[in-house]
Structures are given as structure tokens and as C-alpha cells.
Coordinates of all heavy atoms in Angstrom, one line a residue:
M1 N 73.9 -104.8 37.3 CA 73.3 -105.0 38.7 C 72.4 -106.2 38.6 O 71.5 -106.2 37.8 CB 72.7 -103.7 39.2 CG 72.1 -104.0 40.5 SD 71.2 -102.5 41.2 CE 72.6 -101.4 41.5
P2 N 72.6 -107.3 39.5 CA 71.8 -108.4 39.6 C 70.4 -108.0 40.0 O 70.2 -107.0 40.7 CB 72.4 -109.3 40.6 CG 73.3 -108.4 41.3 CD 73.7 -107.2 40.6
P3 N 69.3 -108.7 39.6 CA 67.9 -108.4 40.0 C 67.8 -108.5 41.5 O 68.5 -109.3 42.2 CB 67.1 -109.4 39.3 CG 68.0 -110.4 38.7 CD 69.4 -109.9 38.7
R4 N 66.9 -107.7 42.0 CA 66.7 -107.6 43.5 C 65.7 -108.7 43.8 O 64.7 -108.9 43.2 CB 66.0 -106.2 43.8 CG 65.7 -106.1 45.3 CD 65.2 -104.7 45.5 NE 64.1 -104.3 44.6 CZ 62.8 -104.8 44.7 NH1 62.5 -105.6 45.6 NH2 61.9 -104.4 43.8
P5 N 66.1 -109.6 44.9 CA 65.2 -110.6 45.3 C 63.8 -110.1 45.8 O 63.7 -109.0 46.2 CB 65.9 -111.3 46.5 CG 67.3 -110.9 46.3 CD 67.4 -109.6 45.6
A6 N 62.8 -110.8 45.6 CA 61.4 -110.3 45.9 C 61.3 -110.0 47.4 O 60.4 -109.2 47.7 CB 60.4 -111.4 45.5
S7 N 62.1 -110.6 48.2 CA 62.0 -110.3 49.6 C 62.5 -108.9 50.1 O 62.3 -108.5 51.2 CB 62.7 -111.4 50.5 OG 64.1 -111.5 50.1
E8 N 63.3 -108.4 49.2 CA 64.0 -107.0 49.5 C 63.0 -105.9 49.1 O 62.5 -105.9 48.0 CB 65.3 -106.8 48.9 CG 66.3 -107.9 49.4 CD 67.7 -107.7 48.7 OE1 67.9 -106.7 48.0 OE2 68.5 -108.7 48.8
P9 N 62.8 -104.9 49.9 CA 61.9 -103.8 49.6 C 62.5 -103.0 48.4 O 63.7 -102.7 48.3 CB 61.8 -103.0 50.9 CG 63.0 -103.3 51.5 CD 63.5 -104.7 51.2
S10 N 61.6 -102.5 47.6 CA 61.9 -101.6 46.5 C 61.8 -100.2 47.1 O 61.2 -99.9 48.2 CB 61.1 -101.7 45.3 OG 59.7 -101.3 45.6
V11 N 62.3 -99.2 46.3 CA 62.1 -97.8 46.7 C 60.6 -97.5 46.8 O 60.2 -96.8 47.8 CB 62.8 -96.8 45.7 CG1 62.5 -95.3 46.1 CG2 64.3 -97.0 45.8
Y12 N 59.8 -98.1 45.9 CA 58.4 -97.8 46.0 C 57.8 -98.4 47.3 O 57.0 -97.8 47.9 CB 57.8 -98.4 44.7 CG 56.3 -98.3 44.7 CD1 55.7 -97.1 44.4 CD2 55.5 -99.4 44.9 CE1 54.3 -96.9 44.4 CE2 54.0 -99.2 44.9 CZ 53.5 -98.0 44.6 OH 52.1 -97.8 44.6
D13 N 58.2 -99.6 47.6 CA 57.7 -100.2 48.8 C 58.0 -99.4 50.1 O 57.1 -99.2 50.9 CB 58.3 -101.6 49.0 CG 58.0 -102.6 48.0 OD1 56.9 -102.6 47.4 OD2 58.8 -103.5 47.7
V14 N 59.2 -98.9 50.2 CA 59.7 -98.1 51.3 C 58.9 -96.7 51.3 O 58.5 -96.2 52.3 CB 61.2 -98.0 51.4 CG1 61.6 -97.1 52.5 CG2 61.8 -99.4 51.4
T15 N 58.7 -96.2 50.1 CA 58.0 -95.0 50.0 C 56.6 -95.1 50.5 O 56.1 -94.3 51.3 CB 58.0 -94.5 48.6 OG1 59.3 -94.3 48.2 CG2 57.2 -93.1 48.5
L16 N 55.9 -96.2 50.1 CA 54.6 -96.5 50.6 C 54.6 -96.6 52.2 O 53.7 -96.2 52.9 CB 54.0 -97.8 50.1 CG 53.6 -97.7 48.6 CD1 53.1 -99.0 48.1 CD2 52.5 -96.6 48.4
C17 N 55.6 -97.3 52.7 CA 55.7 -97.5 54.2 C 55.8 -96.1 54.8 O 55.2 -95.8 55.9 CB 56.9 -98.3 54.5 SG 57.2 -98.6 56.2
V18 N 56.7 -95.2 54.3 CA 56.8 -93.8 54.9 C 55.5 -93.1 54.8 O 55.1 -92.5 55.8 CB 57.9 -93.0 54.1 CG1 57.8 -91.6 54.4 CG2 59.2 -93.6 54.3
E19 N 54.7 -93.2 53.7 CA 53.5 -92.5 53.7 C 52.4 -93.1 54.7 O 51.7 -92.4 55.3 CB 52.9 -92.6 52.2 CG 53.7 -91.7 51.3 CD 53.9 -90.3 51.7 OE1 52.9 -89.7 52.2 OE2 55.0 -89.8 51.7
E20 N 52.4 -94.5 54.9 CA 51.6 -95.1 55.8 C 51.9 -94.6 57.2 O 51.1 -94.3 58.0 CB 51.7 -96.6 55.7 CG 51.1 -97.2 54.5 CD 51.3 -98.7 54.3 OE1 51.8 -99.3 55.3 OE2 51.1 -99.2 53.2
L21 N 53.2 -94.5 57.6 CA 53.6 -94.1 58.8 C 53.3 -92.6 59.0 O 52.8 -92.2 60.1 CB 55.2 -94.3 59.0 CG 55.8 -93.9 60.3 CD1 55.1 -94.5 61.5 CD2 57.3 -94.2 60.3
R22 N 53.5 -91.8 58.0 CA 53.2 -90.3 58.0 C 51.6 -90.2 58.3 O 51.2 -89.4 59.2 CB 53.5 -89.6 56.7 CG 53.4 -88.1 56.8 CD 53.8 -87.5 55.5 NE 54.9 -88.0 54.8 CZ 56.2 -87.6 55.1 NH1 56.4 -86.7 56.0 NH2 57.2 -88.1 54.4
D23 N 50.8 -91.0 57.6 CA 49.3 -90.9 57.9 C 49.0 -91.3 59.2 O 48.1 -90.7 59.9 CB 48.6 -91.7 56.8 CG 48.7 -91.2 55.4 OD1 49.1 -90.0 55.3 OD2 48.4 -91.9 54.5
A24 N 49.6 -92.4 59.8 CA 49.3 -93.0 61.1 C 49.7 -91.9 62.2 O 48.9 -91.8 63.1 CB 50.0 -94.3 61.3
L25 N 50.8 -91.3 62.0 CA 51.2 -90.3 62.9 C 50.3 -89.0 62.9 O 50.0 -88.5 63.9 CB 52.7 -89.9 62.7 CG 53.7 -91.0 63.0 CD1 55.1 -90.5 62.4 CD2 53.8 -91.3 64.4
A26 N 49.9 -88.7 61.7 CA 49.0 -87.5 61.6 C 47.7 -87.7 62.3 O 47.1 -86.7 62.9 CB 48.8 -87.2 60.1
V27 N 47.2 -88.9 62.4 CA 46.0 -89.2 63.1 C 46.1 -88.8 64.6 O 45.2 -88.3 65.2 CB 45.6 -90.6 63.0 CG1 44.5 -91.0 64.0 CG2 45.2 -91.0 61.7
H28 N 47.4 -88.9 65.1 CA 47.7 -88.5 66.5 C 48.3 -87.1 66.6 O 48.8 -86.8 67.7 CB 48.6 -89.5 67.1 CG 48.0 -90.9 67.1 ND1 47.1 -91.3 68.0 CD2 48.2 -92.0 66.3 CE1 46.8 -92.5 67.8 NE2 47.4 -93.0 66.8
G29 N 48.1 -86.3 65.5 CA 48.6 -85.0 65.6 C 50.2 -84.8 65.6 O 50.8 -83.8 65.9
I30 N 50.9 -85.8 65.0 CA 52.3 -85.8 65.0 C 52.7 -85.6 63.5 O 52.3 -86.3 62.6 CB 53.0 -87.1 65.5 CG1 52.5 -87.3 67.0 CG2 54.4 -87.2 65.3 CD1 52.9 -88.7 67.5
T31 N 53.6 -84.6 63.3 CA 54.1 -84.3 62.0 C 55.6 -84.4 62.1 O 56.2 -83.7 62.9 CB 53.7 -83.0 61.4 OG1 52.2 -82.9 61.4 CG2 54.2 -82.7 60.1
L32 N 56.2 -85.2 61.2 CA 57.7 -85.3 61.2 C 58.2 -84.9 59.8 O 58.2 -85.7 58.9 CB 58.2 -86.7 61.5 CG 57.9 -87.2 62.9 CD1 58.3 -88.6 63.1 CD2 58.6 -86.3 64.0
P33 N 58.5 -83.6 59.6 CA 59.0 -83.2 58.3 C 60.2 -83.9 57.8 O 60.4 -84.1 56.5 CB 59.4 -81.7 58.5 CG 58.7 -81.3 59.7 CD 58.6 -82.5 60.6
S34 N 61.0 -84.5 58.6 CA 62.2 -85.2 58.2 C 61.9 -86.7 57.9 O 62.8 -87.4 57.4 CB 63.3 -85.2 59.3 OG 62.8 -85.8 60.5
L35 N 60.7 -87.1 58.1 CA 60.3 -88.5 57.7 C 60.4 -88.7 56.3 O 59.8 -88.1 55.5 CB 58.9 -88.8 58.3 CG 58.4 -90.2 58.0 CD1 59.3 -91.2 58.8 CD2 56.9 -90.3 58.4
R36 N 61.3 -89.7 55.8 CA 61.6 -89.9 54.4 C 62.2 -91.2 54.2 O 62.7 -91.8 55.0 CB 62.4 -88.7 53.9 CG 63.9 -88.7 54.5 CD 64.7 -87.6 54.0 NE 65.9 -87.4 54.8 CZ 66.9 -88.2 54.9 NH1 67.0 -89.3 54.2 NH2 67.9 -88.0 55.7
V37 N 62.3 -91.6 52.9 CA 63.1 -92.7 52.5 C 64.6 -92.3 52.5 O 64.9 -91.3 52.1 CB 62.7 -93.2 51.1 CG1 63.6 -94.3 50.7 CG2 61.2 -93.6 51.1
D38 N 65.4 -93.2 53.1 CA 66.8 -92.9 53.1 C 67.3 -93.6 51.8 O 67.8 -94.8 51.8 CB 67.5 -93.5 54.4 CG 69.0 -93.2 54.4 OD1 69.4 -92.1 54.2 OD2 69.7 -94.2 54.5
L39 N 67.4 -92.9 50.7 CA 67.8 -93.5 49.4 C 69.3 -94.0 49.4 O 69.4 -95.1 48.8 CB 67.8 -92.4 48.3 CG 66.3 -92.0 48.0 CD1 66.2 -90.9 46.9 CD2 65.4 -93.2 47.6
P40 N 70.2 -93.5 50.1 CA 71.6 -94.2 50.2 C 71.5 -95.6 50.7 O 72.4 -96.4 50.4 CB 72.4 -93.2 51.1 CG 71.8 -91.9 50.9 CD 70.3 -92.2 50.8
S41 N 70.5 -95.9 51.5 CA 70.4 -97.3 52.0 C 70.2 -98.3 50.9 O 70.4 -99.5 51.2 CB 69.3 -97.4 53.1 OG 68.0 -97.2 52.6
F42 N 69.8 -97.8 49.8 CA 69.6 -98.8 48.6 C 70.9 -98.9 47.8 O 70.9 -99.7 46.8 CB 68.5 -98.2 47.7 CG 67.2 -98.4 48.3 CD1 66.5 -97.4 48.9 CD2 66.4 -99.6 48.2 CE1 65.3 -97.5 49.5 CE2 65.2 -99.9 48.7 CZ 64.6 -98.8 49.3
A43 N 72.0 -98.3 48.2 CA 73.2 -98.3 47.4 C 74.0 -99.6 47.7 O 75.0 -99.7 47.1 CB 74.0 -97.1 47.8
G44 N 73.6 -100.4 48.6 CA 74.2 -101.7 48.8 C 75.3 -101.6 49.9 O 76.0 -102.6 50.0
A45 N 75.4 -100.6 50.7 CA 76.3 -100.5 51.8 C 75.8 -101.5 52.9 O 76.6 -101.9 53.7 CB 76.3 -99.1 52.3
Y46 N 74.6 -101.9 52.9 CA 74.0 -102.8 53.9 C 73.9 -104.1 53.2 O 73.7 -104.2 51.9 CB 72.7 -102.3 54.4 CG 72.7 -100.9 55.0 CD1 72.4 -99.8 54.2 CD2 73.1 -100.8 56.3 CE1 72.4 -98.6 54.7 CE2 73.2 -99.5 56.9 CZ 72.9 -98.4 56.1 OH 72.9 -97.1 56.7
G47 N 73.9 -105.2 53.9 CA 73.8 -106.5 53.3 C 72.6 -107.2 53.8 O 72.6 -107.5 55.0
P48 N 71.5 -107.5 53.0 CA 71.2 -106.9 51.7 C 70.7 -105.5 51.8 O 70.5 -105.0 52.9 CB 70.1 -107.8 51.2 CG 69.4 -108.2 52.4 CD 70.5 -108.3 53.5
P49 N 70.6 -104.7 50.7 CA 70.2 -103.4 50.8 C 68.9 -103.3 51.6 O 68.0 -104.1 51.4 CB 69.9 -103.0 49.4 CG 70.9 -103.8 48.6 CD 71.0 -105.1 49.3
A50 N 68.9 -102.4 52.5 CA 67.8 -102.4 53.6 C 66.6 -101.6 53.3 O 65.5 -101.8 53.8 CB 68.4 -102.1 54.9
G51 N 66.8 -100.5 52.6 CA 65.7 -99.6 52.4 C 65.2 -98.9 53.6 O 64.1 -99.1 54.1
L52 N 66.1 -98.2 54.3 CA 65.9 -97.6 55.6 C 65.0 -96.3 55.4 O 64.9 -95.7 54.4 CB 67.2 -97.2 56.2 CG 68.2 -98.3 56.5 CD1 69.5 -97.8 57.0 CD2 67.7 -99.3 57.4
I53 N 64.3 -96.0 56.5 CA 63.5 -94.9 56.7 C 64.1 -93.9 57.6 O 64.4 -94.3 58.8 CB 62.1 -95.3 57.1 CG1 61.4 -96.2 56.1 CG2 61.2 -94.0 57.4 CD1 60.1 -96.8 56.5
A54 N 64.3 -92.7 57.2 CA 64.9 -91.7 58.1 C 63.8 -91.1 59.0 O 62.8 -90.6 58.4 CB 65.6 -90.6 57.3
L55 N 63.9 -91.1 60.3 CA 62.9 -90.7 61.2 C 63.3 -89.6 62.1 O 62.6 -89.1 62.8 CB 62.3 -91.9 62.0 CG 61.2 -91.7 62.9 CD1 59.9 -91.4 62.1 CD2 60.9 -93.0 63.7
G56 N 64.6 -89.3 62.1 CA 65.2 -88.3 62.9 C 64.9 -86.8 62.6 O 64.0 -86.6 61.8
G57 N 65.4 -86.0 63.4 CA 65.3 -84.6 63.2 C 64.1 -84.0 63.8 O 63.8 -82.8 63.4
C58 N 63.4 -84.6 64.7 CA 62.2 -84.0 65.3 C 62.6 -83.4 66.6 O 63.6 -83.8 67.2 CB 61.1 -85.0 65.4 SG 61.5 -86.4 66.5
N59 N 61.8 -82.4 67.1 CA 62.1 -81.7 68.4 C 61.7 -82.6 69.5 O 61.1 -83.6 69.4 CB 61.6 -80.4 68.4 CG 60.0 -80.3 68.3 OD1 59.4 -81.3 68.7 ND2 59.4 -79.3 67.7
T60 N 62.1 -82.3 70.7 CA 61.8 -83.1 71.9 C 60.2 -83.2 72.1 O 59.7 -84.2 72.5 CB 62.4 -82.6 73.2 OG1 62.1 -81.2 73.3 CG2 63.9 -82.7 73.1
A61 N 59.5 -82.2 71.8 CA 58.0 -82.2 72.0 C 57.4 -83.3 71.2 O 56.6 -84.0 71.6 CB 57.4 -80.9 71.8
T62 N 57.9 -83.3 69.9 CA 57.3 -84.3 69.0 C 57.8 -85.7 69.3 O 57.0 -86.6 69.3 CB 57.8 -83.9 67.5 OG1 57.3 -82.7 67.2 CG2 57.3 -85.0 66.5
A63 N 59.1 -85.8 69.7 CA 59.6 -87.1 70.2 C 58.8 -87.6 71.4 O 58.4 -88.9 71.4 CB 61.1 -87.0 70.5
R64 N 58.6 -86.8 72.3 CA 57.7 -87.3 73.5 C 56.3 -87.6 73.1 O 55.8 -88.6 73.6 CB 57.7 -86.1 74.6 CG 59.1 -85.9 75.2 CD 58.9 -84.9 76.3 NE 60.3 -84.9 77.0 CZ 60.9 -83.8 77.2 NH1 60.5 -82.6 76.9 NH2 62.1 -83.8 77.8
K65 N 55.7 -86.9 72.2 CA 54.3 -87.2 71.8 C 54.3 -88.5 71.0 O 53.5 -89.3 71.2 CB 53.9 -86.0 70.9 CG 52.4 -86.0 70.6 CD 52.0 -84.8 69.8 CE 50.5 -84.6 69.8 NZ 50.1 -83.3 69.1
L66 N 55.3 -88.7 70.2 CA 55.4 -90.0 69.4 C 55.6 -91.1 70.4 O 54.9 -92.2 70.3 CB 56.6 -90.0 68.5 CG 56.8 -91.2 67.6 CD1 55.6 -91.6 66.8 CD2 58.0 -91.0 66.6
A67 N 56.5 -91.0 71.4 CA 56.7 -92.1 72.4 C 55.4 -92.3 73.2 O 55.1 -93.5 73.4 CB 57.8 -91.7 73.4
A68 N 54.7 -91.3 73.6 CA 53.4 -91.5 74.2 C 52.4 -92.3 73.4 O 51.7 -93.2 73.9 CB 52.8 -90.2 74.7
V69 N 52.2 -91.9 72.2 CA 51.3 -92.6 71.3 C 51.7 -94.1 71.1 O 50.9 -94.9 71.2 CB 51.2 -91.9 69.9 CG1 50.5 -92.7 68.9 CG2 50.6 -90.5 70.0
L70 N 53.0 -94.3 70.9 CA 53.5 -95.7 70.8 C 53.2 -96.5 72.0 O 52.9 -97.7 71.9 CB 55.0 -95.7 70.3 CG 55.2 -95.1 68.9 CD1 56.7 -95.0 68.5 CD2 54.5 -95.9 67.9
R71 N 53.5 -95.9 73.2 CA 53.2 -96.6 74.4 C 51.7 -96.9 74.6 O 51.4 -98.0 74.9 CB 53.7 -95.8 75.6 CG 55.1 -95.9 75.9 CD 55.5 -95.3 77.3 NE 55.1 -93.9 77.4 CZ 55.8 -92.8 77.1 NH1 57.0 -93.0 76.6 NH2 55.4 -91.6 77.2
K72 N 50.9 -95.9 74.2 CA 49.5 -96.1 74.4 C 49.0 -97.2 73.4 O 48.2 -98.1 73.9 CB 48.7 -94.8 74.0 CG 47.3 -94.8 74.2 CD 46.6 -93.5 73.9 CE 45.1 -93.5 74.1 NZ 44.5 -92.3 73.9
V73 N 49.4 -97.2 72.2 CA 49.1 -98.3 71.3 C 49.5 -99.6 71.7 O 48.9 -100.6 71.6 CB 49.5 -97.9 69.9 CG1 49.3 -99.1 68.8 CG2 48.8 -96.7 69.3
G74 N 50.8 -99.7 72.3 CA 51.4 -100.9 72.7 C 50.6 -101.5 73.9 O 50.7 -102.7 74.2
E75 N 49.9 -100.7 74.6 CA 49.1 -101.2 75.8 C 47.8 -101.9 75.4 O 47.3 -102.6 76.2 CB 48.7 -100.1 76.7 CG 50.0 -99.4 77.4 CD 49.6 -98.1 78.2 OE1 48.5 -97.7 78.2 OE2 50.6 -97.6 78.7
R76 N 47.4 -101.8 74.2 CA 46.2 -102.4 73.7 C 46.3 -103.9 73.5 O 47.2 -104.5 73.3 CB 45.7 -101.8 72.4 CG 45.3 -100.4 72.7 CD 44.8 -99.8 71.4 NE 44.5 -98.4 71.6 CZ 44.1 -97.6 70.7 NH1 44.0 -98.0 69.5 NH2 43.8 -96.3 70.9

């Protein structure tokens, strides 16, 4: 496998991003148990490998709370 260019995120980089997002959401009382690194996204199916973050699987109450927080932060 050829070396990964420095501009592409590593699993570690994406894991840190997930933890930062988890901490930021927790400040607003939002917990997403399904928030995780999507490891198959590193398999090369995307060009270049994207290192996606899975954010789905939350209920409507959590989704509405997350949307409200993001709107509030966006207004600043």
C-alpha cells in the first residue's frame, strides 16, 4: 500500500475529531452513542480515503436538540 499523503486524515486524526465532537456535544447535554469513526471509509472506496465520521442513529429528540445547538452557535 502506498504511503498516505499528509493531507489525508489518519484513523488517529479522525478518532480525535470524534472525541472533540463528543465533548462539544456533551457541553450542551447531547449524547450520541452511535458517534464513531467509520473505519470502512479508510478502505479506499472513496477517492481519496475520506475518514468519515458516523453520526446517525440518534432519536428525534436528540436530533432536534443538536439542530438547535448548531443553529444557536451559528447565530454568533
Side-chain angles (χ1 to χ4, degrees):
M1 176 181 289
R4 182 180 43 79
S7 62
E8 293 178 17
S10 67
V11 173
Y12 180 74
D13 296 330
V14 178
T15 300
L16 286 178
C17 181
V18 168
E19 291 308 314
E20 289 172 13
L21 182 55
R22 188 182 315 279
D23 291 345
L25 292 170
V27 168
H28 298 283
I30 298 171
T31 302
L32 297 177
S34 62
L35 182 62
R36 61 180 168 73
V37 174
D38 181 54
L39 293 177
S41 68
F42 286 97
Y46 304 95
L52 301 177
I53 297 171
L55 185 64
C58 60
N59 61 30
T60 55
T62 299
R64 287 184 178 131
K65 195 172 191 179
L66 178 57
V69 168
L70 293 173
R71 277 193 303 273
K72 184 176 179 180
V73 171
E75 293 172 357
R76 293 182 183 175

